[in-house]
C-alpha cells in the first residue's frame, strides 16, 4: 500500500520535507517507524525517540501499536502546543 | 457553534461584542471569553512567534473538543478562533467564548476547551529571538490539566 506520511514542526525540519509517499507493507505504526528509521540519518534524527513523538492516523491521534489497515494518511509530530 | 482557524488577525473586542449579542438572542444569561496572547520573555527580546498547524486535523480536533464541551455543559453558543502563521509579541493568538444560562457552565466549559485545545489540537509554536528560533515544548502541567476533567 502507499501511505501519505506527513511531518510537522521539528520532525518536518529534521526530515527536510513536509510529506512523502511511502510504499510499505507495515502492519502497525511501530513497524512503519522501524522502516522509516532505516531510510537514513534524517529519519533516524526525527523518529529515533518515539517518546517525544505523537502519531495521527487519518487525522485521529493513535498509539504506536495501532494497525495501519485501511489507513491512508499517517502524521508524525511533537506534543501539541496550541492555545 | 463556530470554529475558525485563520492566518489573519481578528478584532477581539468586536468578536466578544458580536458573541454576546448572539448569546443574548439565544437567551443566554452568561458569557465567558478567553484570549491567548503572544507573551514576551521575562527579560524581553522575543521577536516573533510562528504557529504551524495540521490543516484538516485541526478543524476536526477543534470540532470534536467543542462537541464534547456541549455534551458536558448546557451551552447556548461556543466560539473558537485560532490563528496560525507569523505573529508578533502582544498579538492575540486565539480566543474561546462560551455562553450559557448561568455562569458556572460557561466558566467550566471555557476552562475545559482551553485545557483540551492546548494539548489535543495540532498546533505547534516556535519562538523567534535574537539567537534564532526554538520550538516551544509542551509542559507536563498541560497533560495534568486534562486529568481534572
Amino acid at each position: 500500500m502507499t501511505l501519505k506520511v506527513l511531518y510537522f514542526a521539528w520532525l518536518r525540519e529534521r526530515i527536510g520535507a513536509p510529506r512523502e509517499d511511502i510504499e510499505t507493507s507495515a502492519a502497525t505504526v511501530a513497524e512503519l517507524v522501524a522502516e522509516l528509521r532505516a531510510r537514513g540519518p534524517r529519519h533516524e534524527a526525527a523518529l529515533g525517540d518515539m517518546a517525544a513523538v505523537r502519531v495521527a492516523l487519518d487525522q485521529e491521534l493513535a498509539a504506536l501499536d495501532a494497525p495501519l489497515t485501511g489507513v491512508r494518511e499517517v502524521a508524525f509530530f511533537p506534543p501539541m502546543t496550541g492555545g | 457553534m463556530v470554529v475558525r482557524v485563520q492566518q489573519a488577525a481578528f478584532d477581539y473586542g468586536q468578536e466578544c461584542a458580536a458573541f454576546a449579542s448572539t448569546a443574548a438572542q439565544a437567551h443566554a444569561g452568561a458569557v465567558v471569553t478567553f484570549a491567548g496572547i503572544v507573551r514576551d520573555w521575562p527579560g524581553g527580546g522575543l521577536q516573533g512567534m510562528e504557529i504551524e498547524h495540521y490543516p484538516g486535523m485541526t478543524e476536526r480536533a477543534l470540532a470534536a473538543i467543542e462537541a464534547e464541551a456541549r455534551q458536558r455543559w448546557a451551552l447556548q453558543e461556543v466560539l473558537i478562533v485560532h490563528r496560525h502563521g507569523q505573529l508578533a509579541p502582544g498579538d492575540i493568538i486565539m480566543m474561546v467564548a462560551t455562553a450559557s444560562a448561568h455562569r458556572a457552565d460557561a466558566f467550566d466549559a471555557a476552562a475545559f476547551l482551553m485545557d483540551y485545545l492546548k494539548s489535543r489540537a495540532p498546533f505547534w509554536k516556535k519562538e523567534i529571538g535574537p539567537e534564532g528560533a526554538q520550538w516551544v515544548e509542551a509542559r507536563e502541567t498541560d497533560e495534568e490539566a486534562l486529568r481534572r476533567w
Side-chain angles (χ1 to χ4, degrees):
Chain A
M1 63 181 163
T2 306
L3 285 177
K4 181 163 127 187
V5 180
L6 305 177
Y7 305 101
F8 292 95
W10 56 258
L11 279 101
R12 172 179 53 72
E13 292 176 341
R14 290 185 192 177
I15 298 282
R19 74 169 272 187
E20 51 188 352
D21 291 322
I22 300 287
E23 190 59 43
T24 180
S25 54
T28 63
V29 174
E31 284 182 31
L32 175 67
V33 168
E35 281 182 17
L36 290 169
R37 283 174 64 178
R39 288 171 85 93
R42 283 179 166 275
H43 289 79
E44 177 60 32
L47 300 166
D49 175 15
M50 287 304 288
V53 176
R54 300 289 176 268
V55 184
L57 300 180
D58 288 332
Q59 306 189 351
E60 297 278 353
L61 285 172
L64 260 185
D65 59 359
L68 293 175
T69 320
V71 169
R72 288 178 299 177
E73 185 173 299
V74 181
F76 295 102
F77 44 78
M80 295 159 266
T81 53
Chain B
M1 79 152 216
V2 179
V3 172
R4 276 168 26 215
V5 180
Q6 62 187 54
Q7 201 159 351
F10 59 89
D11 185 324
Y12 181 62
Q14 209 168 54
E15 295 286 350
C16 290
F19 184 84
S21 159
T22 311
Q25 281 162 28
H27 304 292
V31 164
V32 168
T33 60
F34 172 92
I37 300 169
V38 180
R39 183 182 64 244
D40 200 350
W41 292 327
L46 179 73
Q47 292 169 343
M49 177 175 276
E50 246 177 67
I51 299 178
E52 182 171 333
H53 80 117
Y54 181 173
M57 181 173 169
T58 307
E59 290 79 0
R60 282 170 70 141
L62 292 177
I65 294 165
E66 196 265 358
E68 173 79 24
R70 276 180 179 277
Q71 275 202 339
R72 291 185 185 219
W73 294 280
L75 301 171
Q76 260 87 8
E77 294 291 333
V78 178
L79 169 68
I80 304 174
V81 185
H82 205 301
R83 293 185 63 195
H84 60 91
Q86 309 279 345
L87 285 85
D91 282 357
I92 292 184
I93 303 171
M94 54 81 60
M95 69 171 289
V96 303
T98 52
S100 57
H102 303 285
R103 69 183 184 283
D105 283 338
F107 270 123
D108 289 350
F112 167 89
L113 287 170
M114 283 312 304
D115 284 348
Y116 267 79
L117 203 147
K118 258 201 144 11
S119 41
R120 291 293 182 270
F123 290 99
W124 301 276
K125 295 192 183 107
K126 192 183 206 179
E127 291 179 334
I128 297 130
E131 320 262 285
Q134 204 171 4
W135 291 101
V136 174
E137 281 188 38
R139 296 177 186 189
E140 192 54 43
T141 51
D142 293 341
E143 250 341 277
E144 282 164 16
L146 300 186
R147 285 182 210 129
R148 69 176 161 136
W149 304 109

